[in-house]
């Protein structure tokens, strides 16, 4: 199995690094906008993401994007795709995932998350700390679910959905593309594409 290189060296990269280590994956280093940065936990910054274009670099590693802001995560991920990178699918050892779950390339499942049977997680998603996703949910690509959020059964999240910390999504709800669900929101009916929802939506 190839070593992992993490894009970014900030807060989300710390969490991603810990998940890699918990599951026995080796992180070779970080690529960051500040190539002189100190690295994290004794692991160095190797350079900037210009290294993606160096001959042979991507033949030796898988990449994981350690940038939590959705628009930045998506932009850097697209640069990796354009460079021909292979993406690591990182899952923290403490996550509980049914054997009947599909998870796409480049997605990250963090500590304490639970994903139940017959759920599909798309590519380049973030399922963060203690997220609970019940049966038969479908997440599109680039879905970002913040810590402590809960999705009941048969929830559908289109591409680019962001769900804030501690939000609760009721059973059978569909959330449209690029919608933003605020922290602590309670969503009991469908949400239109591009909508921004706070409080209770019923």
């Amino acid at each position: 199995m190839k070593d992992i290189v993490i894009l970014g060296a900030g807060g989300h990269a710390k969490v991603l690094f810990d998940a890699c280590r918990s599951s026995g994956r080796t992180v070779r280093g970080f690529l960051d906008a500040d190539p002189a940065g100190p690295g994290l936990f004794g692991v160095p910054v190797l350079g900037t993401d210009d290294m993606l274009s160096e001959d042979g670099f991507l033949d030796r590693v898988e990449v994981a994007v350690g940038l939590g802001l959705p628009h930045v995560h998506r932009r850097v991920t697209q640069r990796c795709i354009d460079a021909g990178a292979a993406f690591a699918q990182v899952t923290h050892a403490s996550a509980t995932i049914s054997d009947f779950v599909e998870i796409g390339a480049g997605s990250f499942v963090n500590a304490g998350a639970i994903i139940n049977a017959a759920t599909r997680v798309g590519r380049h998603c973030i399922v963060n700390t203690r997220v609970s996703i019940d049966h038969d949910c479908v997440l599109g690509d680039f879905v970002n679910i913040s810590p402590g959020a809960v999705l009941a059964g048969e929830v559908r999240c289109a591409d680019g959905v962001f769900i804030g910390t501690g939000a609760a999504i009721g059973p059978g709800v569909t959330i449209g593309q690029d919608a933003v669900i605020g922290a602590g929101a309670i969503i009991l009916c469908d949400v239109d594409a591009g909508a921004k929802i706070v409080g209770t939506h019923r």
Side-chain angles (χ1 to χ4, degrees), residues 163-168 181-187 197-200:
I163 298 177
T165 301
I181 308 301
I186 299 173
I187 307 300
I197 306 294
V198 296
T200 300

Side-chain angles (χ1 to χ4, degrees), residues 63-87:
V63 302
V65 179
L67 299 158
L69 290 174
H71 66 285
V72 179
H73 180 268
R74 194 162 193 162
R75 173 173 53 80
V76 173
T77 298
Q78 188 59 54
R79 178 160 190 192
C80 294
I81 292 170
D82 293 343
F87 289 90

Side-chain angles (χ1 to χ4, degrees), residues 89-138:
Q89 193 275 298
V90 178
T91 299
H92 195 284
S94 70
T96 302
I97 301 175
S98 166
D99 291 338
F100 305 102
V101 167
E102 298 176 20
I103 300 177
S107 288
F108 168 44
V109 182
N110 201 13
I114 299 171
I115 307 179
N116 279 327
T119 286
R120 288 184 292 158
V121 177
R123 298 170 297 170
H124 311 296
C125 295
I126 298 173
V127 178
N128 226 315
T129 311
R130 294 188 300 103
V131 165
S132 177
I133 301 176
D134 221 300
H135 63 90
D136 294 288
C137 291
V138 177

